[in-house]
Amino acid sequence: MIKKQICLVLFILTLFQYGISQKANKKQGDAYMEHHMYCEALASYNQYKKIQKDPETLLKRGIAYYHCNKPDEALNDLLAVDKMNFDDNRIYKYAAQSYLALMNYEDAAKLFKIYLNTLNKNDDEWLKTVDNIKKCGFAKNFILGTQRGYIENVGSKINTEYDEYAPIYSPTQQGRLYFSSNRDGSEGGKRNEKGLVDEMYGKVSSDMYYVDLKDGNWTSVLPLELFLSTPKHEIIQDFSTDGTILYYIKQQEQSNAVLYSDTFTINRDVSQLPTVADFTVNVQLGDKDITVFNDSLILFASSHLPGYGGYDLFYSKKSQDVWQAPINFGPKINTRHDEVSPYLAKNGSTLFFTSNRNESMGGFDIFIAKHISGQEWTVENLGTPINSPLDESDIEISPDGMSAIFASNRTQSVGGQDLFISYFKDQIIEQLLFVEVPAFCTTPDSTLISNGIETKDLQFSERDYVSKSLYFRENEDIINPTNHTNLNALAEILAIYPKVGALLISHGVPETRPESDIYFSAKRAEKVADFLTSKGINSSRIILQGCGSNYPIAQLEINGIRSSLAEKNNRRIDVYLIDNEQFNLHTSQDLPIVAEHVRDSLWDIFSEDNKGLTFRVQLAKVGQMLKSELISKYKDIIIEKYANSETYTYTSGNFVTWNEALIRRNELLREKVFDAEIIPYFKGVRIEKEDMPKLVEVYPELQKYIAK
């Protein structure tokens, strides 16, 4: 009997202790949640065995799962809470965000709308939720766009369960990467917001680290400089262009932040402490993400300077050894949302940045902007797989333009923010072109106005110019060393003659589908146009046309075998000057020489017709690749684009008579291309209305177009 009583007492004590430990797990999880330590909270909640019957705690665990990058598990808990009829609108908010993280934009939008109905328009969350609904609509369609490459996590040798961010390539040592991280082992250990040691709820501050890539493998991660590491946050910003000065922000909290510059050499004098940088930025008011383009130009993000809302991007120039007042990049770059993390490619005209605007995949996305003139930029989301439904930032393009490194907290992260590498399908050629003063910092495209004398008053002496075709091999970038030399000569001519334009006609060989071949031939010409604009040539002076393989100069096959001559001679871009004769600039074309028996007459006819008046039938104007069976049906399709426009115009034919063009137009109408219209061309360029009267005297066929 006594033994039974003892066993009963022990059993009751065990149950009592079990109940106490269960409550302790729940209480500890709640405490971690209050301190935003979600993964620690998750570990405690998972020890709480009654959680499936406790909707409030189950909801908290679902929120913790979401913040720990486990959206599937989050949805399991959140949907289970919803079935319990538990009244808390956070169920819909975090379920929507979990669906968003999983790229299920349709279900995410539905739940965001339900969450929106629980809010008052005066709530801070109301506008954010409206924006999230808009992002779902954008991402649902945009996700199907062309991918620029593929990405990979740099791996667990660098990334940890904590944050790795602000990656910077070494300007002097190939393969070396610098970054900041709040990983275990950072100086000072866990501290609270006041900087005091707090092993329970404190967080590790960020230190600066570096790692080397040797023989394809990352070495061990090392602290940047031991004496630079303190219990405060050290966030790397950038290096001077010669790599001798390091810029970084040190702060415990924003109000005591300081931007330092430190002499960065091997044989350094450790007694010389870092000095405060003299840039026109105020990090105590939140200025951040400082990029040093050169010794006379910096870019940064600011939320306190006058702007368009949230964080805006600014630049500051140095003149006579004094940094000038910051200049806002303008409304094409900045929005009412946040724009941060600027990176300017070496050509000075291609800007990468991060924004949470509505045209994103869900959170902060990386965008690319190309300068046109003044404050005019074209802006485009880099798309998947670079961007995800969560946050991407801190992009840095590799010196060769073949890849980029950036930070992301996507679901594929080891934990927190991780570093990822993107390998581009198309090289970022803008990274290979160097300018001292970017065009947006000066008056774009010199107007050659000096002492009040305009170009119309200048007299040009006679000059001869040989225009050389730009050749490329399979998978070779069009800006290869030979073409680089020829393009520099072209840019020089266009700079001397500011009223002369350039027509770039891009040819290729059959590689994939006709619509892809034609589109990619136009994209190659765009790269040439980008090179010219990086040299200060106004993009409005550049016209590009992509022909794909429709007008080969060499036969594609000889006796049924694919011709190497075609591979060599058909992969090229021909360059023609526009309106050059009126400036006494005489040009000749250095075109490929192909023997008569292997020469294709298609190009000869195309080239001869383009010396005078022709008619083409416009069938579409689009913002991206046109996918249509008509492109395969008609072997005379051409894509046309002005370099200062985002519109691709598709035309069919290159006819010397109006009646031929009319026949093609009627054919297209029968194909239900109801917008088909005939457009006149002279020397391969569209004829402007004001030029028609003088041309109709020489080409009476043009009168039929005028009379239509």
Side-chain angles (χ1 to χ4, degrees):
M1 176 66 75
I2 296 176
K3 287 184 178 180
K4 289 183 178 180
Q5 290 177 338
I6 293 174
C7 289
L8 180 61
V9 170
L10 290 174
F11 178 71
I12 293 172
L13 286 173
T14 301
L15 287 177
F16 180 71
Q17 290 175 341
Y18 177 77
I20 292 176
S21 67
Q22 287 297 294
K23 290 181 180 179
N25 287 330
K26 176 182 175 181
K27 185 177 180 180
Q28 186 62 68
D30 291 344
Y32 281 132
M33 288 291 285
E34 289 178 7
H35 288 83
H36 306 292
M37 301 174 70
Y38 298 107
C39 294
E40 290 83 352
L42 187 59
S44 294
Y45 286 146
N46 282 336
Q47 297 298 316
Y48 179 45
K49 302 303 181 184
K50 298 180 180 180
I51 194 168
Q52 295 297 337
K53 297 181 180 180
D54 183 345
E56 183 177 2
T57 306
L58 190 59
L59 171 59
K60 291 178 181 178
R61 189 177 74 171
I63 295 172
Y65 269 129
Y66 169 77
H67 284 291
C68 293
N69 267 350
K70 297 181 177 181
D72 284 311
E73 292 86 343
L75 281 171
N76 288 337
D77 282 356
L78 295 167
L79 296 178
V81 173
D82 188 44
K83 290 180 180 179
M84 297 178 187
N85 296 318
F86 187 69
D87 187 17
D88 192 316
N89 65 356
R90 290 180 297 171
I91 298 171
Y92 310 117
K93 174 184 176 180
Y94 283 99
Q97 290 180 340
S98 297
Y99 277 125
L100 185 65
L102 295 169
M103 303 179 97
N104 184 341
Y105 294 108
E106 189 169 342
D107 286 338
K110 290 178 182 177
L111 285 166
F112 276 129
K113 290 176 182 177
I114 295 174
Y115 178 57
L116 185 68
N117 289 332
T118 69
L119 301 174
N120 186 292
K121 285 191 176 182
N122 295 322
D123 291 342
D124 292 338
E125 287 280 306
W126 193 87
L127 184 57
K128 292 180 182 178
T129 306
V130 171
D131 286 340
N132 280 330
I133 294 169
K134 292 179 179 178
K135 289 177 182 179
C136 289
F138 171 82
K140 180 181 176 182
N141 298 316
F142 188 70
I143 194 174
L144 302 175
T146 303
Q147 296 187 347
R148 295 175 182 265
Y150 64 96
I151 67 162
E152 65 179 18
N153 189 302
V154 297
S156 57
K157 274 198 171 182
I158 296 177
N159 292 319
T160 66
E161 62 183 293
Y162 301 98
D163 291 325
E164 284 73 37
Y165 61 103
I168 304 289
Y169 286 113
S170 169
T172 58
Q173 189 160 338
Q174 186 176 1
R176 175 162 291 184
L177 178 69
Y178 298 91
F179 62 96
S180 288
S181 175
N182 63 344
R183 61 183 58 204
D184 275 341
S186 292
E187 188 68 25
K190 292 183 177 182
R191 293 176 181 260
N192 61 23
E193 293 179 354
K194 295 181 180 180
L196 302 176
V197 174
D198 184 347
E199 292 295 336
M200 179 63 73
Y201 301 117
K203 295 182 180 179
V204 179
S205 297
S206 294
D207 281 348
M208 296 179 288
Y209 296 87
Y210 74 93
V211 65
D212 291 310
L213 184 64
K214 292 185 177 180
D215 300 323
N217 296 304
W218 295 106
T219 61
S220 298
V221 173
L222 296 173
L224 179 56
E225 290 281 0
L226 290 177
F227 85 93
L228 292 180
S229 299
T230 70
K232 296 183 178 182
H233 292 286
E234 282 84 35
I235 306 169
I236 192 167
Q237 299 296 296
D238 209 344
F239 290 93
S240 60
T241 50
D242 61 2
T244 60
I245 300 176
L246 164 71
Y247 299 98
Y248 68 98
I249 293 174
K250 177 185 287 189
Q251 66 180 62
Q252 185 63 52
E253 53 189 24
Q254 182 178 297
S255 61
N256 59 24
V258 180
L259 174 63
Y260 284 107
S261 63
D262 180 61
T263 303
F264 198 73
T265 58
I266 296 175
N267 300 315
R268 63 182 303 148
D269 182 357
V270 294
S271 65
Q272 299 235 342
L273 297 176
T275 58
V276 177
D278 63 348
F279 295 151
T280 53
V281 298
N282 191 331
V283 293
Q284 290 186 1
L285 293 180
D287 292 352
K288 62 178 184 177
D289 300 342
I290 299 152
T291 296
V292 179
F293 183 73
N294 56 34
D295 294 338
S296 301
L297 178 65
I298 62 169
L299 290 70
F300 64 97
S302 177
S303 60
H304 74 90
L305 291 171
Y308 298 89
Y311 270 94
D312 277 7
L313 298 184
F314 292 80
Y315 65 90
S316 177
K317 299 181 291 184
K318 194 174 189 179
S319 177
Q320 298 179 342
D321 290 328
V322 177
W323 287 100
Q324 305 299 304
I327 300 173
N328 192 295
F329 267 95
K332 294 295 184 180
I333 298 293
N334 294 314
T335 67
R336 68 174 175 85
H337 299 87
D338 293 319
E339 281 73 39
V340 295
S341 302
Y343 179 86
L344 187 62
K346 301 303 182 186
N347 75 335
S349 298
T350 305
L351 176 68
F352 296 84
F353 65 95
T354 291
S355 175
N356 62 345
R357 61 186 65 188
N358 289 340
E359 298 78 27
S360 80
M361 307 299 294
F364 280 89
D365 279 7
I366 299 173
F367 292 77
I368 180 173
K370 296 188 177 183
H371 184 245
I372 301 174
S373 64
Q375 286 194 332
E376 289 296 314
W377 298 75
T378 60
V379 179
E380 183 181 359
N381 188 308
L382 284 182
T384 57
I386 296 173
N387 289 319
S388 75
L390 297 182
D391 300 324
E392 285 71 44
S393 64
D394 304 335
I395 190 169
E396 173 111 347
I397 308 299
S398 65
D400 62 5
M402 297 298 295
S403 63
I405 193 161
F406 62 95
S408 174
N409 64 348
R410 64 186 63 199
T411 55
Q412 294 83 7
S413 298
V414 175
Q417 292 188 84
D418 277 9
L419 300 185
F420 289 80
I421 291 181
S422 170
Y423 298 96
F424 297 117
K425 290 181 179 178
D426 295 321
Q427 186 179 25
I428 306 296
I429 63 163
E430 295 87 350
Q431 189 71 340
L432 308 181
L433 312 174
F434 293 85
V435 296
E436 286 296 323
V437 182
F440 65 81
C441 292
T442 61
T443 302
D445 191 18
S446 171
T447 56
L448 289 185
I449 298 177
S450 177
N451 298 323
I453 302 175
E454 298 188 21
T455 54
K456 65 181 182 180
D457 300 318
L458 298 176
Q459 298 296 318
F460 293 90
S461 58
E462 290 198 15
R463 181 166 182 166
D464 293 323
Y465 172 70
V466 178
S467 181
K468 297 183 178 182
S469 296
L470 309 171
Y471 296 91
F472 59 95
R473 295 191 297 271
E474 184 177 5
N475 296 325
E476 182 184 29
D477 191 79
I478 189 67
I479 313 297
N480 55 45
T482 300
N483 291 342
H484 193 278
T485 302
N486 294 335
L487 284 171
N488 277 329
L490 174 61
E492 181 181 349
I493 285 291
L494 294 175
I496 295 171
Y497 297 87
K499 298 297 183 181
V500 172
L503 172 62
L504 312 174
I505 303 182
S506 181
H507 301 276
V509 298
E511 293 183 278
T512 56
R513 301 183 307 276
E515 60 262 34
S516 298
D517 289 341
I518 294 172
Y519 183 72
F520 289 137
S521 68
K523 298 302 284 186
R524 291 189 193 96
E526 280 186 17
K527 287 190 174 184
V528 174
D530 289 341
F531 179 96
L532 296 174
T533 55
S534 75
K535 297 296 183 179
I537 307 304
N538 195 306
S539 56
S540 65
R541 297 163 57 191
I542 305 169
I543 304 171
L544 54 96
Q545 295 176 358
C547 300
S549 59
N550 288 338
Y551 299 100
I553 196 170
Q555 295 178 23
L556 297 174
E557 293 184 353
I558 301 175
N559 297 326
I561 301 174
R562 188 152 178 163
S563 170
S564 60
L565 283 173
E567 295 284 333
K568 176 183 177 181
N569 294 295
N570 292 344
R571 295 181 187 272
R572 72 185 194 285
I573 296 177
D574 296 331
V575 181
Y576 299 85
L577 297 186
I578 305 169
D579 294 334
N580 54 292
E581 291 299 332
Q582 60 178 306
F583 298 103
N584 290 324
L585 176 60
H586 309 297
T587 65
S588 58
Q589 303 298 131
D590 184 8
L591 296 167
I593 299 174
V594 180
E596 193 66 31
H597 68 284
V598 292
R599 192 178 183 92
D600 199 312
S601 61
L602 286 173
W603 185 86
D604 289 326
I605 295 171
F606 177 72
S607 177
E608 187 64 30
D609 291 345
N610 271 352
K611 292 178 181 179
L613 173 72
T614 60
F615 299 94
R616 300 178 188 176
V617 184
Q618 179 177 300
L619 56 95
K621 280 188 173 184
V622 294
Q624 55 190 13
M625 183 192 298
L626 176 66
K627 296 182 179 181
S628 170
E629 294 180 359
L630 296 175
I631 297 175
S632 298
K633 179 176 180 178
Y634 294 106
K635 305 300 182 182
D636 51 13
I637 301 291
I638 299 172
I639 295 181
E640 182 176 16
K641 182 178 182 290
Y642 285 77
N644 64 341
S645 169
E646 292 299 305
T647 301
Y648 298 93
T649 300
Y650 282 73
T651 64
S652 176
N654 193 51
F655 308 107
V656 294
T657 69
W658 168 264
N659 286 337
E660 289 177 295
L662 189 60
I663 292 171
R664 177 59 56 83
R665 174 181 173 273
N666 291 337
E667 289 178 5
L668 290 171
L669 289 174
R670 287 192 291 272
E671 296 279 0
K672 298 183 180 180
V673 182
F674 300 119
D675 293 329
E677 63 173 313
I678 300 172
I679 306 294
Y681 284 72
F682 179 64
K683 293 186 176 180
V685 179
R686 288 187 175 220
I687 302 174
E688 300 294 336
K689 186 175 292 186
E690 58 268 23
D691 295 328
M692 289 185 184
K694 61 183 179 183
L695 285 173
V696 76
E697 297 177 4
V698 183
Y699 299 97
E701 194 75 8
L702 184 58
Q703 183 61 46
K704 296 180 180 179
Y705 171 81
I706 297 174
K708 75 175 184 178

